[in-house]
Amino acid sequence: MSEEVRYPRVVHESDEDQKRHHNVSEDSSQELTTTGDDYAVEAVETTPPDDNVMEKDTVKEPLYSTFPRSQKIFILIIGSFAGLVSPLTGSIYLPALNSIAADLGVRTSLVNLTITTYQVFQGLAPSFLASLADSRGRRPTYLLAFSIYIIANLALALQDSYVALMILRCLQSAGSSATIALGSAVVADIVTRAERGSWVGYAGLGISLGPALGPTIGGLLDQFLGWRSIFWFLLILGSVLLAIIFALLPETARAVVANGSVKPAWWNLSLAQWLRVRNGHHFNGTSSIEEDRSTINKPKKRLNPISALRILLEPEGGITLGFGAIFFAGYFMVMTTLSEQLAARFGFSSAIVGLCYLPLGFGSLCSRWTAGLLFDWNFRRHARLLGIPLDLSRQQTLETFPIERIRLEICIPMIYISCGTVLGYAWAMQTNASLAGIEVSLFFLGLFFSGAQQGLNTLIVDTHADTPATATAANNLFRCLMSSGGTAVAPFMIEKIGIGLMGVFISSVWLAFSPCLWAVLLYGKKWRENAKIKQEKKDKEKCNS
């Protein structure tokens, strides 16, 4: 994967200007610091052209986002914490399964079914809410999702029957699950593709960190305060996040506020923005930014709950979503059986079992720096090979950049390494190796799995720029449906063939389907161009008729 890929030089300017810009882009690290730290208007500038330069060479793309970098970071932090809620809610429940079963007077296997139904609704619900987010905005969707989530947690903390537990867990899942899709969509709204590798990684931190932190928190709460305290904890967490979003999070959807310069409707202003407007100030606190409606990006197709299913019919989108679902299912099979395996082999309490998930979480956390930086570095490398200077304040077109190659050159090696880490974990557990060996293998599994998953998530967002929330919801839908099946099958596989052979099975499936990603790397750009030509032809025929 390390060989240099040479592209024909792309000329957009005069030879003199191209040479000067190319020299600017040679130092990638300097480029990032000079264009990414402050307002986008402080990005790399060209010298004024002379009269001999054609006018089209001097016209620049509009600013992709008018939000200053400090505000982007703040938005990202809110999105990351909001995205943590869904996977945290799913996994915080695991150490308390035996306690809940005993208290409600049912078998533990029946309580396990609430995990499967949670995952099913975790996949289905975002398909409904994502279309609302892409067309009407991120803020109203966030507020609706957290309102449902808070009500469900309150009822779960007070209920005392298995039927109520099952129904309310589905409602809880429906409320929390949209936060993952919204986090990635918010990043797509405010960050160009050149930086998106690391930013999407931070926004999706909850996808891999939540499942690792949840059992730790849940085990401690269950042991010292009882299982109902888990739902009271989630109620408080959801309420705090709802208050922060209501008061401080600005609307970012490009269909509503364009690049951040267009004022949304009064009901879609944050409390902070509403107070600024009431006091006669600019709604974003930056009076120097003029409204630019040309950057409004409405979805090309009418959105509805089945919009996510259309992505599965695309050659590139279907392969990426399909492999991502299989990849996540294998990881979830390891994660959901870990607590039972540790308790059976070492006799740990629920609190200690929860702490044993921490290496998985630390590995996932580290991947946000390592993998994210690698994705952005590879983007800059391809820009240099193409002879295109990077301006991080303006979007890079997919007609020029081979985005599939850029993402998958980093992603595919991480997938192969993940195959090895799964084998290492499974046989360490099978052979009753020391706890240290198991924990080390879990750390590296979290590191490389999260990095590969980050690349697949970013690619889906990159190739569906007008509907990032719907694209992420589609990713979440297939991933959750596949992982719910893996969760149901994993205990039976361990019982019949042992955890070691289960690890061999997971790794073999990943390896068997990995050539599909090579096909996307080699032919994805061509597939995308053909689809665009076909769509343009359809639109032309529709206009003529």
Side-chain angles (χ1 to χ4, degrees), residues 147-182:
S147 297
I148 295 171
Y149 179 72
I150 290 169
I151 293 171
N153 278 307
L154 177 62
L156 278 165
L158 299 174
Q159 59 80 31
D160 57 0
S161 74
Y162 174 74
V163 174
L165 176 70
M166 177 72 78
I167 295 172
L168 291 171
R169 279 284 285 179
C170 294
L171 184 65
Q172 183 191 46
S173 178
S176 65
S177 56
T179 58
I180 295 175
L182 289 170

Side-chain angles (χ1 to χ4, degrees), residues 81 84-86 88-89 92 146 149-150 153 217 231-244:
F81 276 102
L84 180 69
V85 166
S86 180
L88 178 72
T89 304
I92 198 173
F146 273 104
Y149 179 72
I150 290 169
N153 278 307
I217 299 171
F231 298 117
W232 288 116
F233 170 82
L234 294 175
L235 171 65
I236 295 170
L237 176 64
S239 300
V240 170
L241 288 170
L242 177 65
I244 291 173

